[in-house]
Amino acid sequence: DAAAGPTSQLMMMVGLALLVSSLPAGWLSDRLGTKCLLLISGLLTTAGGFLVLLAPSIPVLLAGGIIVGLGIGSFYPANWSLGTRLVPKEQAGRYLGLSNLAGAGAGAIGAYIGGPIGDKAGFSVLMAIYASLFIFSTLALTKIQVPWGPQKVALSDEAKNEA
């Protein structure tokens, strides 16, 4: 019962920070490049995750949650931007659909096994696993062959006419 209040506050901070950061993330992705923004989001989520894990007080815990939310909020738009550049144009629906299923499946599996891990080993262990996965995914990003900086996107004739 004592954890319910801080947990709900933490989730609220993560959600608010996610909302605030997701709005400008598309613009930042265009300016910095998707790979660069993904690197920044990975570093933010890793730092925030470990801050939540090691927080000595509720305000520090909430600050860690805000950092995690900022990282996740900037991850989603950059991730979809990178995904649309990597998939073959003629099969974009298939590959992006699979990507969406993989993300939803990972969330479902994480919720299914995360609870028992938290119950058995403790939620600190679970948070350490999450923070470690943030690091590993950020390291995996370095193997993706896409330029680091901003990419010029060629507009179709129809898009040019609309602009």
Side-chain angles (χ1 to χ4, degrees), residues 6 9 16 28 31 79 85 116:
Q9 291 173 342
L16 288 173
L28 281 171
R31 300 305 177 270
N79 179 54
R85 290 193 179 125

Side-chain angles (χ1 to χ4, degrees), residues 61-89:
L61 176 86
L62 297 178
I66 290 169
I67 295 169
V68 168
L70 292 172
I72 294 171
S74 49
F75 167 80
Y76 281 119
N79 179 54
W80 280 104
S81 175
L82 180 62
T84 59
R85 290 193 179 125
L86 293 177
V87 300
K89 301 287 184 232

Side-chain angles (χ1 to χ4, degrees), residues 98-112:
L98 287 172
S99 175
N100 196 31
L101 283 173
I109 291 169
Y112 182 73

Side-chain angles (χ1 to χ4, degrees), residues 2 20 37-38 77-78 82 94-95 100 138 141 153 162:
V20 167
L37 188 58
L38 285 169
L82 180 62
R94 174 183 293 169
Y95 284 100
N100 196 31
T138 304
L141 173 68
V153 178
E162 289 177 14

